[in-house]
Structure formats: C-alpha cells, structure tokens
Amino acid sequence: PVEDAIRYCKVTNDALAEIVRDHPSKLLGSAALPMQDVAAACEELTRAVKDLGMVAAYVGTNFPFDLDDPRMDDFYRTIVALDVPLFMHPASTGGAGGPDDPRMGRFDMSIIFGYASEETIAASQLVLGGVLDRHPKLDVCISHGAGTMPYVWPRFEAMCKFRDWAPDSVKEHGFK
C-alpha cells in the first residue's frame, strides 16, 4: 500500500543517512523511493538528497505502470533537476507472492531469468518509450548490463527499422 511504502522509504532513508554520516569517507547513500505514488517518490527523493545527503535514487523495474508512462515524467524531471543518477534493479517476478509464471518457481528461474527479463523490459521501455528522448540528461543505470539487452540488441535494431512503434530518434540513430 502507498502509505506503507512512503513510511518504509522514509524510515529506510533516515536509517541509511545515519549510517553514512557515521562513515562519510567510506559510504554514500542511495534513496529508496515509493514508486507506487510518483508525487510521493519525487518528494521523498528531494528530501533524501537535500536534507539527508543522498547521492542517488534506487528503484525497481516493475511498477503499477510502465516506465515510459507520462506520469513518470515528473519523476525523471526531478532526477535531472537534483542531478543524481537513477539505479534500477529488478525484484524476481512475482515478488513475495511467488513467480507470476509458475514455471519460474523451479530451479530459481525467477532470479536467473526473471531478473534478466525485467531488466531487458526496463531498458526497452526507456528507449522505445521515448524516455531518453524526453529527458536527455537522465543518468540511469540498469543492473546486470540491462539483462539480455546485449544479446538481443541486433533484434531490437532490426525491428526498429520498420515498425511503426519505434520512435523517430531510434529509426534515425539506431537502438542506442
């Protein structure tokens, strides 16, 4: 729930800031954000950076809406305005409730393949959804090399050349 997420992030960020203050030459802090509510995430990020001294934002890859959803633009603008990097790391598919796909429950496939899948989808949404065009100064890092992206890059390049869903910038410059 949103209120629980907001409270959790504030408590977590306050605790992390205290640890960083105790070890300033060794640690930096990255703010946890309640992405269920974009306005609350922007508010907490601003507080974490300006009041707590955090130097980055940390979020997952799967929200109740897509990463390229227009409601995320205020979040990306806040990241850019505060001049902090955004680090994205997936949770296994299904979260605490177990894998969305029951086949992923065996052999730790939700971690082995689920993470890679989530990261690939995140990178795709940021590029193909126009987020990087709308926010060219956005500094984002997706963990583990953006999943399978390095391996399927040629497929993205090929599809973007003739599909109507590919942004003009990708058609013109390639999937970069």
Side-chain angles (χ1 to χ4, degrees), residues 16 20 34 39 68 72 78 84 87 91 93 97 103 107 115 137 144 147-148:
L16 179 60
V20 170
D68 61 318
M72 287 289 290
T78 301
V84 294
F87 179 73
T93 59
R103 297 173 298 170
F107 316 119
Y115 277 27
K137 293 187 177 185
H144 314 120
T148 64

Side-chain angles (χ1 to χ4, degrees), residues 52-108:
L52 302 179
M54 300 281 179
V55 299
Y58 166 79
V59 299
T61 56
N62 189 349
F63 309 141
F65 37 84
D66 290 333
L67 296 174
D68 61 318
D69 188 298
R71 76 182 89 181
M72 287 289 290
D73 284 337
D74 283 341
F75 176 68
Y76 298 131
R77 280 191 283 273
T78 301
I79 293 275
V80 170
L82 292 170
D83 193 25
V84 294
L86 172 61
F87 179 73
M88 303 182 96
H89 190 283
S92 59
T93 59
D100 296 329
D101 181 335
R103 297 173 298 170
M104 299 286 271
R106 294 184 70 206
F107 316 119
D108 285 327

Side-chain angles (χ1 to χ4, degrees), residues 15-33:
L16 179 60
E18 187 174 321
I19 293 168
V20 170
R21 274 193 297 273
D22 290 345
H23 305 280
S25 65
K26 296 182 179 185
L27 300 174
L28 298 170
S30 183
L33 302 172

Side-chain angles (χ1 to χ4, degrees), residues 102-121:
R103 297 173 298 170
M104 299 286 271
R106 294 184 70 206
F107 316 119
D108 285 327
M109 292 303 292
S110 63
I111 295 172
I112 296 167
F113 179 70
Y115 277 27
S117 175
E118 281 292 318
E119 293 159 346
T120 305
I121 291 168

